[in-house]
Amino acid sequence: VQLVETGGGTVQDGGSLRLGCVASRGTTNNPGKGWFRQGPGKEVEFVAAINWSTGRTLYADSVRGRFAISRDNDKNAVHLQMNNLKPEDTAVYYCAAGAFNDFRNRDEYEYWGQGTQVTVSS
């Protein structure tokens, strides 16, 4: 499975961006698809996830109420709408797929995208 992210860029504090992740070259039977990020000098952290089968969503406390993850079944894509962005959201954002159980755990995911840079200026 190949994952390709789109939609990164630079915005000002309080702005919005929408990230996309399209899966191709195969499928996975595991339902979890998620977004992680790695800020400058920081560890990779969980951002949001969605159960492809049920539509149930999970969010990190730091983004709940500002970010929204959604799925597009027809396009086999996952989106991350990011509103009210803050400088601390600056990071490389990675799309991941293939989690079976704990969608917050990056070790659960089988496939990863190459990452897309999001920069929020103050």
Side-chain angles (χ1 to χ4, degrees):
V1 176
Q2 183 178 24
L3 302 177
V4 178
E5 300 107 332
T6 58
T10 300
V11 295
Q12 291 188 332
D13 192 354
S16 298
L17 281 174
R18 181 177 174 86
L19 304 183
C21 175
V22 177
S24 62
R25 297 186 182 178
T27 60
T28 171
N29 291 327
N30 294 337
K33 292 189 177 181
W35 289 93
F36 289 76
R37 67 185 182 186
Q38 186 170 25
K42 298 181 180 179
E43 297 289 324
V44 173
E45 64 174 350
F46 169 75
V47 176
I50 188 167
N51 184 313
W52 195 260
S53 299
T54 66
R56 184 190 177 205
T57 57
L58 293 170
Y59 295 96
D61 290 342
S62 59
V63 306
R64 186 176 293 111
R66 299 188 297 123
F67 291 11
I69 188 171
S70 62
R71 59 183 176 175
D72 184 334
N73 290 349
D74 292 339
K75 297 181 179 179
N76 201 15
V78 176
H79 297 280
L80 185 69
Q81 178 66 42
M82 305 185 294
N83 298 325
N84 191 20
L85 282 161
K86 305 175 182 180
E88 51 264 42
D89 294 318
T90 295
V92 177
Y93 283 71
Y94 296 93
C95 174
F100 177 72
N101 186 26
D102 182 2
F103 294 178
R104 297 177 184 269
N105 184 352
R106 63 176 178 168
D107 293 334
E108 287 265 337
Y109 290 84
E110 299 177 293
Y111 306 103
W112 291 82
Q114 80 286 353
T116 186
Q117 177 70 45
V118 171
T119 302
V120 185
S121 60
S122 57

